[in-house]
């Protein structure tokens, strides 16, 4: 579907989004402004006059300075004076926030980019959002907010006639801001005066292992200094994380940007926290730190490298909800000998730095060859210049002579790609045929060019056919294309059809360094002719299982569906060749034990088919399957076969909302207002700072009218809660007693508040944030809850992540609700109600309800932080085995021993003298334990209500089961119950009714 299919401005868009939406490849969306009369020249002259006369500029009202949650005010407070003046003089809107959040689960990465812009000017302004995404990633969603209108994207079919054209555009560098291995996504619009806009982009990718490490790259190029710039990456690897490194910001092609002076480690302000299986990396530079790196806002690539534990040679196999993935990366194997021919383009276009850098790189590569390898060198233009007529062993003399030969090659003439390839293939075939090779070896061609075929055979289809026929599937071709004039599609197909890889080197980049890096990936072959088999009655729809080679530091990934979930074991058999022997590995993998122990499942895509939440392994399987279908489509020369592949790839991409060369993205009409968010069929709505709104299940759904008044709590809140610093309150309604206690945790601790994963399927965790203690206080620091995570496992898996600013809801569709707007959403027994800047009510199956109070400070003191309070409103649906710091008391009762009779009653009806507070009064008997308590008054519900309670001042040492450390979760999504407190201290069922002295 071409440009005519985009929503037209005159039909559905306001004047701030004109004309039509167009794309360059599948990863670039543009909203091009149409003609409009805007007079900026007079405005610019007024600015200049103001500067000359020293007049105050932009004296806006305080209300205007606080547009959109005071974001702009915070930005201007943090920007140095000179930079602030420079930003004000610019005509482009102010970017108030730029944030990227990635969640990586078992090498599969979900990334969401959000950008907020403010137009503080008195006239309309053009705005552009652009983001470089990895070339291997699939965009899954794009949402745009203009004022109060929400424009959501949907993935639709694309006419097959445009597929070739789109593919070509993908491989052509058309933007100066593009980097190697990336695609550029762009969206342009016009923001009305004194208004706001926001962009939310979401994409997914499978991280590839190269040189022994996985590399996750996030482009941080907001094009201006940003008041709130955040990059957050969460990594969860069940097999364990062995190494984790954050590299300096990398930006090789931008002028006036790059890493800060003297910066050799992680970028400034980077915080890294990780344990054995979970890691969290946060990059949050201030405006001053950004300016030191790059005043134009182009900071570069934020790069994380890590690797995982590997204990079995047969690999790591994970099974979850009917899908499996097999990661195969053996180690400690002797390298295979390689027969390699270096084919170097020496046509006239290679003159100068390109040829010089290539020569220097080949010198390095020749020095790296092993004694058991064989090699030769070919230079080609319109003539083929072969160094020797056979392959030579690696000796000091041969290496020296090969270097001399390379430096005597001079650029001239045209480009005979077909002749050069045929000559190299003949050399390799002759060597293998004429030598009785006892050791198994790998035959490789490393082919480098900067142009298109201009001499000899120039028809690309015949070049591909000749090459494939000559190699016979026994020779792998690795291609490197240099510059903008290279026929990259030809090189890509040459590599795909001949078990190789391809790389592109941009004109401004150093070809030598890229060639060395490319060679490093393939320098050590360990296995050849790899075949991985599974029982045909146990699995189905498995991705590719045959691989010509395995190189050290890489990884083979296979995914599929379990044909029968009742299988207790999965039999895996790997056969391959290694040096002098034939390798066979067999193993039965227990299926049940391979499920994710923490039940983490990130599902940013819309619900497919029957509406069941797809887990990360299912999305990984769909990602790999679509990639293989696209690769097969590129290789195929049969029109009938290409059409079948296109239909399969398109159907799968539509089902999982992947933007591919066979699908297109359209923005729907603004059918949802941020305050109109109730949808009984599926979840969809407004967006927040870290995640993107997903597509509506049905395009025809109409929003209900916005409520006239903000939503208030619709459920009566009980006293059982944790709030403030943090202060715990437990209500025992039978005995009419209220007990309170404090927990002195550490910043960063994640406390398990409610743990009923095996019962009702509900878990609640709270993450602490630190703050300095008030002056003259008895504490060394304060702690508050900054994040409450609620995980629900029945009847459908979903989770909520609540902060003072937003609620992330993943329950089929991924949804973000801003906390500064009142709204209600519900789906499949789960309802979330937000009362603007006040509270969030979560109701589960009508029998469980939690209320999270939002505490915000306009001008916080040094010891204050925006934080949350957690209240249990309804616990009927929680099981009797519920545990956690609060959950363990829900099905218990307490008794007061040794207190005056009037104190044994409900303290709310008793008014003791002020001096009585804090004095030892009684012994509390709960769960068979005797706990010394004192009478105390405590305020709850944001200070609106005061409760009288019996206070355990020993940090609940005798009140709770076990000790404080027993209630620490490994990460916010942890539901593991094996680390719970010892049962030895739990009470007998009738212990409360025993008589006490």
């Amino acid at each position: 579907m071409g440009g005519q299919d985009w929503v037209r401005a005159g039909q559905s868009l306001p004047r701030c989004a004109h004309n039509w939406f167009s794309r360059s490849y599948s990863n670039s969306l543009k909203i091009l402004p149409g003609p409009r009369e805007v007079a900026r020249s007079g405005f610019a002259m007024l600015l200049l006059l103001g500067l000359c006369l020293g007049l105050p500029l932009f004296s806006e009202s305080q209300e205007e300075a606080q547009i959109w949650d005071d974001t702009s005010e915070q930005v201007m407070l943090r920007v140095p004076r000179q930079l602030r003046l420079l930003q004000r003089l610019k005509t482009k809107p102010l970017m108030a926030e730029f944030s990227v959040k990635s969640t990586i689960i078992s090498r599969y990465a979900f990334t969401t980019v959000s950008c907020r812009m403010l137009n503080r000017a008195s006239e309309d302004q053009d705005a552009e959002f652009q983001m470089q995404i990895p070339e291997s990633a699939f965009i899954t969603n794009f949402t745009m907010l203009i004022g109060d209108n929400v424009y959501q994207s949907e993935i639709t079919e694309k006419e097959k006639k445009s597929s070739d054209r789109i593919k070509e555009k993908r491989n052509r560098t058309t933007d100066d801001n593009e980097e190697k291995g990336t695609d550029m996504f762009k969206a342009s619009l016009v923001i009305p005066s004194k208004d706001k806009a926001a962009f939310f982009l979401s994409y997914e990718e499978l991280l590839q292992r190269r040189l022994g490490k996985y590399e996750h790259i996030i482009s941080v190029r907001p094009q201006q200094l940003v008041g709130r710039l955040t990059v957050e990456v969460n990594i969860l690897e069940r097999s364990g994380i062995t190494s984790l490194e954050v590299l300096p910001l990398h930006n090789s092609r931008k002028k006036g940007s790059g890493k800060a002076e003297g910066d050799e480690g992680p970028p400034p302000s980077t915080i890294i926290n990780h344990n054995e299986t979970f890691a969290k990396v946060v990059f949050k530079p201030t405006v001053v730190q950004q300016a030191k790196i790059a005043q134009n806002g182009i900071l570069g690539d934020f790069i994380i490298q890590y690797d995982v534990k590997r204990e079995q040679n047969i690999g790591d196999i994970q099974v979850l909800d009917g899908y499996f993935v097999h990661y195969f990366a053996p180690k400690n194997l002797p390298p295979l000998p390689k027969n390699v021919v270096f084919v170097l383009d020496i046509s006239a276009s290679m003159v100068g730095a390109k040829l010089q850098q290539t020569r220097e790189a080949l010198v390095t590569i020749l020095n790296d060859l092993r004694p058991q390898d064989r090699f030769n060198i070919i230079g080609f233009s319109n003539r083929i210049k072969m160094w020797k007529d056979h392959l030579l062993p690696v000796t000091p003399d041969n290496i020296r002579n090969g270097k001399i030969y390379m430096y005597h090659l001079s650029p001239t003439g045209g480009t005979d790609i077909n002749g050069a390839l045929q000559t190299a293939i003949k050399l390799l075939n002759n060597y293998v045929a004429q030598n009785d090779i006892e050791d198994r070896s790998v035959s490789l061609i490393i082919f480098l060019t900067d142009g298109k075929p201009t001499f000899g055979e120039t028809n690309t289809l015949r070049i591909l056919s000749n090459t494939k026929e000559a190699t016979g599937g026994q020779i792998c071709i690795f291609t490197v294309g240099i510059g903008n004039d290279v026929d990259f599609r030809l090189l890509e197909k040459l590599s795909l059809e001949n078990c190789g890889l391809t790389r592109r080197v941009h004109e401004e980049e150093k070809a030598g360094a890229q060639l060395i890096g490319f060679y490093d990936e393939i320098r050590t072959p360990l296995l050849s002719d790899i075949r991985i088999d599974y029982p045909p009655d146990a699995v189905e729809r498995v991705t590719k299982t045959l691989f010509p080679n395995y190189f050290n530091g890489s990884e083979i990934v296979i995914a599929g569906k379990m044909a029968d979930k009742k299988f207790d074991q999965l039999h895996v058999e790997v056969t391959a060749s290694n040096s002098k022997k034939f390798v066979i590995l067999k193993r039965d993998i227990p299926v049940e034990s391979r499920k994710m122990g923490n039940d983490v499942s990130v599902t940013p895509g819309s619900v497919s088919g029957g509406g069941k939440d797809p887990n990360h392994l299912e999305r990984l399987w769909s990602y790999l399957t679509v990639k293989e279908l696209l690769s097969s489509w590129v290789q195929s020369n049969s029109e009938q076969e290409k059409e079948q592949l296109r239909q399969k790839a398109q159907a799968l991409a539509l089902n999982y909302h992947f933007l591919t060369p066979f699908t297109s993205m359209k923005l729907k009409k603004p059918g949802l207002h941020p305050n109109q968010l109730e949808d009984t069929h599926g979840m969809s709505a407004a967006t927040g700072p870290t995640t993107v709104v997903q597509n509506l299940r049905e395009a025809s759904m109409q929003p209900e009218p916005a409520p006239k008044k903000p939503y208030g709590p619709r459920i009566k809140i009980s006293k059982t809660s944790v709030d403030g610093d943090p202060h715990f309150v437990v209500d025992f309604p039978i005995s009419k007693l209220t007990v309170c206690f404090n927990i002195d945790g550490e910043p960063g601790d994640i406390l398990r508040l409610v743990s009923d994963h095996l019962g009702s399927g509900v878990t609640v965790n709270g993450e602490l944030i630190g703050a300095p203690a008030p002056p003259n206080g008895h504490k060394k620091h304060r702690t508050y809850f900054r994040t409450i995570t609620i995980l629900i496992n029945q009847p459908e898996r979903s989770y909520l992540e609540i902060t003072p600013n937003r609620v992330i809801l993943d329950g089929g569709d991924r949804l973000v609700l801003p906390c500064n707007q009142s709204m209600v959403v519900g789906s499949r027994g789960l309802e979330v109600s937000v009362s603007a800047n006040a509270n969030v009510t979560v109701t589960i199956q009508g029998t469980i309800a939690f209320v999270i109070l939002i505490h915000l400070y306009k001008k916080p003191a040094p010891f204050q932080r925006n934080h949350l309070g957690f209240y249990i409103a309804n616990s009927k649906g929680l099981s009797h085995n519920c545990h956690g710091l609060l959950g363990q008391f829900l099905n218990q009762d307490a008794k007061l021993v040794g207190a005056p009779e009037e104190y044994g009653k409900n303290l709310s009806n008793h008014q003791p003298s002020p001096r009585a507070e804090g004095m030892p009064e009684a012994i509390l008997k709960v769960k068979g334990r005797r706990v010394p308590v004192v009478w105390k008054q405590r305020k709850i519900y944001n200070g609106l209500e005061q409760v009288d309670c019996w206070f355990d001042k020993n940090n609940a040492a005798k009140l709770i089961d076990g000790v404080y450390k027993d209630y620490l979760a490994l990460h916010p999504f942890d539901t593991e119950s094996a680390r719970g407190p010892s049962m030895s201290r739990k009470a007998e069922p009738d212990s409360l009714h025993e008589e006490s002295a």
Side-chain angles (χ1 to χ4, degrees), residues 533-546:
D533 292 312
Y534 311 93
D537 58 338
V539 299
E540 61 186 7
R541 304 188 70 178
V542 181
T543 57
K544 186 172 68 171
T545 58
L546 299 176

Side-chain angles (χ1 to χ4, degrees), residues 892-913:
Q892 301 291 334
D893 203 359
K895 184 177 181 181
L896 206 59
V897 179
E901 183 179 352
E902 63 269 20
Y903 282 94
K905 301 177 181 178
N906 189 350
L907 288 179
S908 62
N909 299 323
H910 179 70
Q911 300 294 334
S913 61

Side-chain angles (χ1 to χ4, degrees), residues 48-57:
L48 184 59
L49 180 61
L51 285 174
C52 296
L53 299 178
L55 298 177
L57 300 180

Side-chain angles (χ1 to χ4, degrees), residues 100-102 104 109-113 131-137 179-183 203 205-208 210 214-221 231 233 235 245-251 300-306:
V100 184
K101 184 171 184 179
S102 284
I104 303 171
F110 303 87
T111 302
T112 299
V113 185
M131 181 68 186
Q132 292 177 13
I133 68 170
E135 193 175 28
S136 61
E179 295 290 338
K180 177 182 69 68
T182 65
D183 287 324
Y203 60 87
E205 62 175 320
L206 175 65
L207 302 185
Q208 296 181 11
R210 292 172 178 166
Y214 301 99
E215 188 171 76
H216 186 47
I217 302 176
I218 296 174
S219 176
V220 186
R221 295 172 172 85
V231 177
V233 180
I235 304 172
E245 182 182 8
V246 180
L247 304 184
L249 289 170
H250 175 75
N251 200 338
D301 290 328
F302 185 80
I303 303 173
I304 295 177
Q305 293 181 341
Y306 75 97

Side-chain angles (χ1 to χ4, degrees), residues 168-435:
E168 290 174 1
K169 285 191 175 182
R170 174 187 183 183
N171 293 323
R172 185 180 304 133
T173 303
T174 58
D175 195 304
D176 289 339
N177 288 323
E178 286 192 55
E179 295 290 338
K180 177 182 69 68
T182 65
D183 287 324
M184 179 68 74
F185 181 94
K186 290 184 179 181
S188 304
L189 53 77
V190 176
I191 306 179
S193 172
K194 307 295 181 183
D195 214 335
K196 57 186 180 290
F199 307 89
F200 303 93
L201 177 69
S202 189
Y203 60 87
E204 301 175 15
E205 62 175 320
L206 175 65
L207 302 185
Q208 296 181 11
R209 188 169 184 256
R210 292 172 178 166
L211 303 178
K213 294 180 180 179
Y214 301 99
E215 188 171 76
H216 186 47
I217 302 176
I218 296 174
S219 176
V220 186
R221 295 172 172 85
Q223 309 296 314
Q224 60 175 282
L225 301 179
V226 183
R228 294 177 181 173
L229 192 152
T230 306
V231 177
E232 180 181 326
V233 180
N234 295 282
I235 304 172
L236 180 61
E237 292 288 351
R238 189 211 62 191
S239 56
I241 301 173
T242 57
S243 64
L244 177 68
E245 182 182 8
V246 180
L247 304 184
L249 289 170
H250 175 75
N251 200 338
S252 60
R253 301 180 62 222
K254 300 293 178 294
K255 296 179 180 179
S257 64
K259 63 183 181 180
E261 198 173 319
D263 182 13
E264 296 299 333
S269 81
T270 301
I271 300 175
I272 305 172
N273 292 306
H274 71 94
N275 55 31
E276 185 178 356
T277 60
F278 181 77
K280 182 174 183 178
V281 179
V282 178
F283 172 52
K284 197 172 183 179
T286 64
V287 174
V288 174
Q289 289 172 324
Q290 296 173 47
K292 289 181 178 179
I293 300 172
Q295 293 193 8
N296 59 3
I298 304 176
L299 304 186
D301 290 328
F302 185 80
I303 303 173
I304 295 177
Q305 293 181 341
Y306 75 97
D307 200 15
V308 300
K309 289 183 180 178
R310 289 177 176 80
E311 298 178 355
Q312 301 177 4
N313 281 333
I314 203 162
D316 178 22
I317 300 178
Q318 299 179 14
V319 181
L320 181 64
D321 293 342
Y323 289 84
F324 80 92
V325 62
H326 184 183
Y327 299 101
F328 182 63
K331 55 184 179 180
N332 301 324
L333 295 173
L336 283 166
K338 57 180 179 288
N339 314 312
V340 57
V341 178
F342 301 97
V343 183
L344 173 62
D345 186 346
I346 56 169
S347 61
S349 58
M350 285 288 291
V351 69
K354 284 190 287 189
L355 183 57
Q356 180 62 25
Q357 291 173 10
T358 303
R359 286 169 173 161
E360 294 171 356
L362 284 178
V363 167
T364 303
I365 292 172
L366 290 177
N367 290 332
D368 187 68
L369 293 176
R370 295 184 177 87
Q372 64 267 35
D373 296 338
R374 299 291 188 273
F375 77 106
N376 203 338
I377 301 169
I378 294 176
F380 75 96
S381 54
N382 55 337
R383 296 174 55 191
I384 311 300
K385 299 180 179 180
M386 186 167 51
W387 175 38
K388 301 291 183 181
D389 60 359
H390 58 279
L391 296 187
L392 276 71
V394 175
T395 64
D397 288 343
N398 288 339
I399 294 296
R400 183 182 65 252
N401 294 334
K403 296 175 184 177
I404 294 172
Y405 173 76
M406 276 195 309
Y407 277 97
H408 281 91
L409 293 174
S410 57
T412 181
T415 308
D416 186 0
I417 290 178
N418 183 73
L421 286 171
Q422 292 299 312
T423 303
I425 295 169
K426 186 176 179 180
L427 278 173
L428 291 168
N429 285 336
N430 289 343
Y431 175 77
V432 174
Q434 295 172 7
N435 293 271

